Every structure is written in structure tokens, then in C-alpha cells.
Amino acid sequence: MSLFGLGSRNQKTFRPKKNAPSGSKGAKLQKHIDATLGSGNLREAVRLPPGEDINEWLAVNTVDFFNQVNILYGTLTEFCTANNCPTMSAGPKYEYRWADGVTIKKPIEVSAPKYVEYLMDWIEAQLDDEAIFPQKLGAPFPPNFRDVVKTIFKRLFRVYAHICHSHFQKIVSLKEEAHLNTCFKHFVLFTWEFRLIDKGELAPLSDLVDSILQL
């Protein structure tokens, strides 16, 4: 299946691509991301452009990484099923339970595809909430904006961790290994640059993360 071909994707887990916030610096910053990524220098691509607002930069990149994970996971929905992946795990030591603090307050054990479905629903709700991700130029970001962004990235990491532990051979057979590696490297460098994920949360892929960061 082509990485960008819709194929027989489950529409509940694969979402239409979201665009950067309109009416803000979003489009301009998105062009900057595309241009710097095109250069192949991912360390340079993640840095805050001179003179730009950090919250604007975090917002545009949050949308971008949401889209990247959506596309990657979307290629695996026929393999990542409740039967094949009855829990949202990242190897034998790590299992993730779902709670959003609103409709599901106590963490519940769910299958991997159900976890990702809950997660994508939750992230979309955050991205579509103008009180959190303002669309209008000059509209203020909320005081807890960075905390929301950190939670989004922490949970997106869990999808990468599950893919790498449970579906890496399928990624290789689909010839998407290089794309996964580039997306994950970009993700790790960005989260490290802005300290968005605690080191302990990265433990399921610690060797891979350390090799990317060259710690």
C-alpha cells in the first residue's frame, strides 16, 4: 500500500490532513518548515525561526506532527487490530491506558486501535478549540497552552512506540522504514529542542532516541 494512498484505511483512525491555523502566521511558518525540511537538516528545521513567537511555532508544528502520525498509522490500520493488538503496548514492559480527564476520568485498558482512535479524537478536539489553538491573528494563547502541547506530544510518542515495537516488520515490508525513521527523528529533535517530553516517557525507545540525540 502506498504511504499516501488511502487504500482500505479505517476512516475512524486515519483523519483528513489538518491545515495550519489560518489567519495567523501559520501558513508562513508552514512554508518555513517545508523549506528547512527540504534542506535535509532536521536539527535546523526544528529551531524557532528568529523573531517568531514560540507559541505560534509550537502550534503549527503540533498540527504538522499530528498529520505525520496520522499518515503513518493510517498505513497500518488493517494490521493493528483489536485481535492483533489487544492492549496499547510498547514491548513487554510498557502498556498505556486511556483517559482524557473529561469523558473518561479513570484510565481504562483498551486495544491499540481503540487507544489511537480515542487519542486522535482528543487531539482533534484540542486543535479545533480556538480557546486553545487560536485561529485569528493576534489572538492570545491560553496560559496552559504549553501543557496541552506537551500532553499531545507525549501521547503521539506512544503511537510511535507502539508502531516500532509491534509493527516494525510490517513497516519494512511496506517499504516505509526510511519515512518512519525520518518522521521519528524529526519528532524527537523537536520535542528535545523545546523539552516537550520527559526523558522517562521516552524509555520504550530509549536506545533509538539516544542515537538520534547522540547523547
Side-chain angles (χ1 to χ4, degrees):
M1 184 193 296
S2 162
L3 182 60
F4 296 100
L6 293 177
S8 60
R9 282 205 180 108
N10 176 349
Q11 286 303 113
K12 285 188 174 178
T13 44
F14 178 76
R15 310 305 165 90
K17 186 174 179 182
K18 293 193 82 66
N19 294 317
S22 58
S24 69
K25 293 180 183 174
K28 176 187 165 191
L29 290 175
Q30 185 63 53
K31 284 181 182 174
H32 178 87
I33 293 171
D34 293 343
T36 49
L37 281 179
S39 73
N41 186 342
L42 292 175
R43 289 185 185 276
E44 187 63 35
V46 302
R47 291 193 183 115
L48 178 68
E52 297 296 351
D53 179 77
I54 187 167
N55 285 338
E56 293 270 6
W57 184 237
L58 290 174
V60 171
N61 277 278
T62 301
V63 174
D64 212 34
F65 285 112
F66 170 76
N67 287 331
Q68 285 183 27
V69 174
N70 248 329
I71 290 170
L72 274 169
Y73 185 76
T75 65
L76 296 169
T77 52
E78 63 189 282
F79 315 108
C80 184
T81 63
N83 283 336
N84 293 338
C85 304
T87 60
M88 179 62 175
S89 61
K93 287 188 187 174
Y94 301 97
E95 180 185 312
Y96 302 113
R97 300 187 175 201
W98 177 256
D100 59 15
V102 182
T103 56
I104 301 174
K105 295 185 178 180
K106 187 178 178 181
I108 57 172
E109 183 178 317
V110 293
S111 68
K114 177 54 77 173
Y115 185 99
V116 176
E117 181 184 334
Y118 277 137
L119 174 58
M120 295 310 179
D121 281 344
W122 179 80
I123 294 177
E124 278 199 307
Q126 310 312 302
L127 298 180
D128 291 341
D129 186 342
E130 291 203 32
I132 302 173
F133 283 82
Q135 299 286 321
K136 296 189 178 75
L137 181 63
F141 287 86
N144 68 332
F145 178 69
R146 197 180 183 93
D147 291 335
V148 174
V149 168
K150 287 175 78 170
T151 302
I152 290 173
F153 275 88
K154 177 179 74 174
R155 290 174 172 174
L156 284 176
F157 169 80
R158 294 171 177 179
V159 182
Y160 275 118
H162 177 71
I163 289 173
C164 289
H165 277 281
S166 299
H167 302 293
F168 190 73
Q169 289 309 312
K170 184 54 66 176
I171 288 283
V172 171
S173 70
L174 292 170
K175 297 183 170 54
E176 291 164 9
E177 181 183 358
H179 183 74
L180 170 64
N181 288 343
T182 300
C183 288
F184 186 64
K185 183 176 182 181
H186 183 202
F187 180 89
V188 168
L189 291 172
F190 187 84
T191 56
W192 190 254
E193 177 79 8
F194 297 102
R195 300 298 186 263
L196 298 175
I197 304 179
D198 294 337
K199 192 76 164 62
E201 287 282 342
L202 301 172
L205 297 176
S206 57
D207 290 349
L208 190 53
V209 169
D210 288 349
S211 71
I212 290 169
L213 298 174
Q214 297 174 333
L215 295 175

